[in-house]
Amino acid sequence: MLLCLAPIQAQTIELYAQFNGRYDFVFVGNTMNLAENGTGAACVINTSSSATLALNSTSTIEKAYLYWAGSGNGDFDVSLNGNALTASRTFGLTQATSGLPFFSAFVEVTNLVQTTGNGLYTLANLDVSEVLTPTAYCNNGTNFAGWALVIVYSDSSLPLNQLNVYDGLDYVPTDISITLNNLNVIDNQNAAIGFVAWEGDRGLAVNESLKINNILIGNPPLNPNTNAFNGTNSFTGATDLYNMDLDVYPIQNTIQIGDTSAQIQLSSGQDFVMINTIVTKFNSQLPDATIAIDRALMQCNSPNFRINYSVHNTNCTDPLPAGVPIAVYLNGVFWQSISTQTVIPIDGSESGTLSLTLPVGITSPFDLKFVVDDDGTGTSQVIELNENNNSAISTLMLETADALPTLNPLQVCNEGFNQGTYSLVSTATQLQQAGTNSVIIYPSQIDWIAQLNAISNLANYTASAPATLYAEVSNGRCYQTAPIDLSIKNCPPRVYNYVSANNDSYNDSFKIDYLRNIFLRYTIEIYNRWGTKVWIGSAATADWDGTSNTNLVVGSNNLPDGTYFYVIDLHDADNPKPLTGFVYLTH
């Protein structure tokens, strides 16, 4: 090919699309040339060629972009597998001294490729025959045509990557420098860069080099450092892509964590190479903060309201640090700021509650918006995989409702250690006000604020007393709260007057409810029918099991079957009178 030193108009290569997730890319395409230029072969260019797509069965095609290019002013109507296509974007170069134009074209074909899937793809009706006569292109060795599919695919087995697709049309000789912006290099492990390039010749390698950030790169033996663009396809290993390249290079040693841009430097002393498309891939070890308003409810007859929200860190590869700001906006205006409290692991979440009072002058309805990773100025503090999913909004209105009824305290018998079993059913029914309200009862105000530990068994709720439960009563539009006071009393013991001391686990000892762990100083005396004391017990002894501990019985301690009498002294100021009665013993 002739040395071309004249200036050529070019179109800047810029970011076209970005993908964050479990993505990778592949190039599929073919040349229309029958031989490499400059070898003396006949100046012939086909109008169709084919290539095969062979993705893994677990991969899903997300995007497919078709590029085609050639010599001349351009053919912008082609077909792919028989489907007629017209370019939606075009690019062009013109050599100033010779006036020879070159073109490339683009159209998105995602639906077509998703429907077709793996298999043979044939691009047809690309006709650049007009450039073959007269023979200017052939004489210069710049007659070419070809096509490429740039395919972005997802796969659950992939790491989370950031893919950037850049396009335009730029060229050498002798030197070009292309700046790739919008990078977000979090992890450079397995970083890669791919090129769709036109008109590169294997036989021309005069002072040819490809550098990233001034570091020479190559991928030998297919793409030597001195001949990067040489008619090859790195994805298939093909070496007969005459006058085009579909190549990918590892670049983890040429780019650093924290970089937001990269510089491509391409030099050639003779080979005329046009860069059409560049794709970069970087592993993205990043969190992804999202926020949800789980519950937003006004307090009835009040400007107060409460928000239960949760911050999530899903579809990510890195924990979300603690202290991430959350901006609260009222009717679109920043109001106040809160923050996350803990490190949120991958696929984890953190819940929070915020109680607020509507400022004077704000009318109903009003919008409340929560934005995570926002300091109140719209500025992010954490680099995330997706910066566009950080907000949640809820619309609230001031509401009124009838006042709740006054509740009587609930009191039950002490079952030991100041614990008792309460029935909350009638209280809940009273609060429901003929079924118009939902009632949720919490063990404490702290539990209510956090919306945790709601009481599920209202019929038999065991609690220590004194205590105050917290009921939330909602009509679906607003809520009210009501305290439920619990108290406890020492009820008189309940005595069962039958003991069958036969070790069958039924009534083997003298059973008395509401005694142990309630009356701590009680004493029990057991007498036989003749008034003789046969057993003495207290809180420190086991229950009477039909034996004597007063040395009354000679030999065995077992007492004979019969009727016995008990005296229980509670030693309690509220229960000064001893309990007396009979108990029947059998073995």
Side-chain angles (χ1 to χ4, degrees):
M1 195 189 83
L2 297 178
L3 180 65
C4 301
L5 299 177
I8 303 177
Q9 299 170 354
Q11 289 169 282
T12 302
I13 293 177
E14 297 177 332
L15 180 67
Y16 177 71
Q18 185 178 86
F19 303 86
N20 291 285
R22 302 189 187 280
Y23 296 114
D24 208 334
F25 70 96
V26 67
F27 297 157
V28 175
N30 208 346
T31 182
M32 301 292 189
N33 287 49
L34 301 183
E36 183 174 288
N37 289 341
T39 61
C43 187
V44 178
I45 302 177
N46 287 338
T47 60
S48 68
S49 65
S50 301
T52 300
L53 174 64
L55 291 175
N56 291 332
S57 59
T58 57
S59 299
T60 301
I61 296 167
E62 300 292 339
K63 288 291 183 181
Y65 303 131
L66 174 64
Y67 294 85
W68 66 95
S71 305
N73 290 312
D75 180 0
F76 302 117
D77 296 293
V78 296
S79 65
L80 184 64
N81 286 4
N83 297 277
L85 301 170
T86 298
S88 60
R89 299 161 62 230
T90 61
F91 310 93
L93 291 174
T94 300
Q95 184 178 350
T97 55
S98 66
L100 296 178
F102 302 88
F103 78 95
S104 72
F106 166 94
V107 66
E108 182 177 339
V109 290
T110 300
N111 291 338
L112 190 159
V113 176
Q114 286 175 335
T115 301
T116 304
N118 285 339
L120 190 68
Y121 286 82
T122 299
L123 186 106
N125 303 317
L126 175 53
D127 187 1
V128 295
S129 59
E130 65 176 3
V131 307
L132 304 182
T133 55
T135 60
Y137 288 97
C138 298
N139 292 339
N140 283 345
T142 55
N143 54 291
F144 85 97
W147 63 278
L149 280 171
V150 175
I151 295 175
V152 176
Y153 64 91
S154 62
D155 197 310
S156 60
S157 64
L158 292 171
L160 282 168
N161 293 320
Q162 182 187 80
L163 266 60
N164 285 345
V165 179
Y166 304 84
D167 63 14
L169 199 59
D170 214 338
Y171 70 97
V172 291
T174 25
D175 299 281
I176 58 171
S177 181
I178 301 170
T179 300
L180 303 181
N181 293 314
N182 302 95
L183 299 182
N184 183 17
V185 182
I186 303 303
D187 188 342
N188 59 4
Q189 186 71 28
N190 298 320
I193 188 168
F195 294 90
V196 176
W198 311 111
E199 244 305 304
D201 297 307
R202 181 190 308 168
L204 294 177
V206 179
N207 297 324
E208 185 171 316
S209 66
L210 175 62
K211 296 180 179 180
I212 305 293
N213 291 336
N214 210 35
I215 298 174
L216 185 67
I217 67 170
N219 192 17
L222 201 64
N223 300 107
N225 293 349
T226 58
N227 197 2
F229 300 102
N230 55 359
T232 57
N233 185 337
S234 301
F235 297 93
T236 65
T239 59
D240 57 354
L241 250 64
Y242 308 125
N243 304 100
M244 65 177 288
D245 284 87
L246 302 177
D247 289 326
V248 63
Y249 299 84
I251 58 170
Q252 65 186 52
N253 295 324
T254 68
I255 199 158
Q256 303 301 315
I257 294 173
D259 285 354
T260 57
S261 65
Q263 202 74 19
I264 297 175
Q265 297 123 332
L266 177 59
S267 300
S268 176
Q270 187 173 358
D271 199 3
F272 176 48
V273 179
M274 291 181 288
I275 304 296
N276 196 172
T277 311
I278 300 172
V279 181
T280 60
K281 179 183 73 173
F282 300 103
N283 187 234
S284 301
Q285 299 296 329
L286 287 173
D288 185 25
T290 59
I291 194 165
I293 296 177
D294 302 314
R295 198 162 185 248
L297 207 60
M298 291 296 303
Q299 184 176 351
C300 303
N301 313 313
S302 169
N304 300 326
F305 58 97
R306 190 188 69 251
I307 305 295
N308 294 100
Y309 64 91
S310 55
V311 178
H312 302 262
N313 186 32
T314 54
N315 296 321
C316 61
T317 54
D318 211 31
L320 185 72
V324 176
I326 302 170
V328 181
Y329 292 86
L330 180 60
N331 288 340
V333 179
F334 174 70
W335 187 12
Q336 56 183 278
S337 182
I338 52 179
S339 63
T340 60
Q341 301 300 303
T342 62
V343 175
I344 302 178
I346 295 172
D347 293 330
S349 64
E350 175 186 291
S351 297
T353 300
L354 188 61
S355 296
L356 300 166
T357 300
L358 196 64
V360 176
I362 300 296
T363 58
S364 180
F366 60 92
D367 289 332
L368 196 71
K369 184 178 182 181
F370 279 41
V371 185
V372 64
D373 195 21
D374 179 356
D375 64 0
T377 66
T379 302
S380 172
Q381 304 294 306
V382 178
I383 299 175
E384 301 178 60
L385 276 173
N386 186 351
E387 299 286 358
N388 299 314
N389 61 350
N390 290 17
S391 63
I393 191 169
S394 181
T395 300
L396 297 176
M397 297 184 65
L398 296 171
E399 300 285 355
T400 59
D402 293 337
L404 296 178
T406 302
L407 301 177
N408 294 322
L410 300 181
Q411 187 178 65
V412 296
C413 293
N414 188 353
E415 297 171 359
F417 302 111
N418 290 325
Q419 282 192 336
T421 300
Y422 299 83
S423 174
L424 306 175
V425 175
S426 60
T427 301
T429 302
Q430 186 182 5
L431 291 172
Q432 280 177 331
Q433 297 180 345
T436 60
N437 296 313
S438 67
V439 177
I440 304 175
I441 302 177
Y442 295 90
S444 67
Q445 186 177 27
I446 293 175
D447 289 308
W448 167 73
I449 291 173
Q451 297 285 285
L452 295 173
N453 305 316
I455 298 172
S456 58
N457 187 354
L458 298 182
N460 294 283
Y461 176 65
T462 300
S464 297
T468 300
L469 308 182
Y470 225 70
E472 177 184 282
V473 183
S474 170
N475 60 12
R477 302 181 309 275
C478 62
Y479 72 90
Q480 299 181 74
T481 59
I484 304 173
D485 292 327
L486 305 183
S487 64
I488 205 160
K489 62 180 178 179
N490 291 341
C491 298
R494 183 166 57 198
V495 182
Y496 297 83
N497 61 354
Y498 179 73
V499 175
S500 60
N502 57 4
N503 295 319
D504 65 353
S505 301
Y506 296 99
N507 301 311
D508 286 333
S509 61
F510 191 25
K511 183 180 179 182
I512 306 172
D513 289 341
Y514 307 115
L515 179 64
R516 281 194 179 274
N517 304 317
I518 299 171
F519 299 96
L520 303 182
R521 298 170 54 244
Y522 74 85
T523 58
I524 300 178
E525 296 175 346
I526 303 295
Y527 296 85
N528 64 15
R529 68 181 64 187
W530 297 283
T532 303
K533 186 186 298 183
V534 297
W535 188 84
I536 301 173
S538 68
T541 64
D543 294 338
W544 179 55
D545 59 357
T547 62
S548 174
N549 61 5
T550 61
N551 298 320
L552 176 67
V553 180
V554 179
S556 171
N557 288 332
N558 291 329
L559 294 168
D561 293 355
T563 301
Y564 293 81
F565 300 90
Y566 62 82
V567 177
I568 304 172
D569 192 340
L570 300 176
H571 296 283
D572 180 73
D574 294 330
N575 298 273
K577 185 178 180 180
L579 303 177
T580 60
F582 71 90
V583 55
Y584 183 75
L585 171 66
T586 184
H587 290 84

